[in-house]
Amino acid sequence: MEVVTEGPCRLLLYRCITYKYVEDCAIPGAENPKTEYYQTNKYLVSKNHQAAVPIPEKKSEVIELFADTGKDIKSFMLKNNIKLNNEDDLIKLVNYYNGN
């Protein structure tokens, strides 16, 4: 895993290959089959060096995940139009949580 953001709450990135596509060639003696790999990025958070947990897909669950500081995460997400599938937005969210 790659550490994207440091602090009491760390944003981590896990890259994995989710699908491998092999296109068979019907012509005997032709080039090797074409192979394509599809990568997906999964983001996780680790608070206070505890085990990392995946970022939830629902905003309400993200608000619950970051609710322990007393900061108004919901209004921050609405004000900054935070998208949970955008790395820059996740960095902003974790930095806000960390107080940066």
Side-chain angles (χ1 to χ4, degrees), residues 44-77:
L44 301 100
V45 290
S46 171
K47 293 197 253 180
N48 300 320
H49 301 289
Q50 294 179 354
V53 295
I55 297 277
E57 293 181 14
K58 295 181 181 179
K59 287 187 178 186
S60 61
E61 293 174 358
V62 171
I63 292 166
E64 189 176 310
L65 177 67
F66 292 119
D68 59 343
T69 62
K71 294 183 179 180
D72 193 358
I73 298 293
K74 183 177 182 178
S75 66
F76 176 81
M77 290 177 69

Side-chain angles (χ1 to χ4, degrees), residues 6-73:
E6 283 285 348
C9 179
R10 298 184 313 164
L11 179 64
L12 307 169
L13 170 61
Y14 177 70
R15 294 184 174 115
C16 59
I17 303 296
T18 57
Y19 184 71
K20 177 182 172 183
Y21 174 74
V22 179
E23 183 179 313
D24 291 328
C25 186
I27 304 169
E31 294 182 26
N32 292 336
K34 179 180 175 185
T35 305
E36 291 184 46
Y37 296 94
Y38 297 93
Q39 174 182 314
T40 58
N41 296 332
K42 295 183 182 180
Y43 292 94
L44 301 100
V45 290
S46 171
K47 293 197 253 180
N48 300 320
H49 301 289
Q50 294 179 354
V53 295
I55 297 277
E57 293 181 14
K58 295 181 181 179
K59 287 187 178 186
S60 61
E61 293 174 358
V62 171
I63 292 166
E64 189 176 310
L65 177 67
F66 292 119
D68 59 343
T69 62
K71 294 183 179 180
D72 193 358
I73 298 293

Side-chain angles (χ1 to χ4, degrees), residues 1-2 5 14 30-31 37 40 53-54 56 80-81 89 93-94 96:
M1 283 190 254
E2 175 184 340
T5 301
Y14 177 70
E31 294 182 26
Y37 296 94
T40 58
V53 295
N80 293 288
N81 197 23
D89 286 351
L93 181 62
V94 171
Y96 176 74

Side-chain angles (χ1 to χ4, degrees), residues 83-96:
K83 304 290 183 202
L84 299 178
N85 58 356
N86 183 312
E87 182 174 327
D88 292 334
D89 286 351
L90 291 174
I91 291 170
K92 285 182 199 175
L93 181 62
V94 171
N95 284 338
Y96 176 74

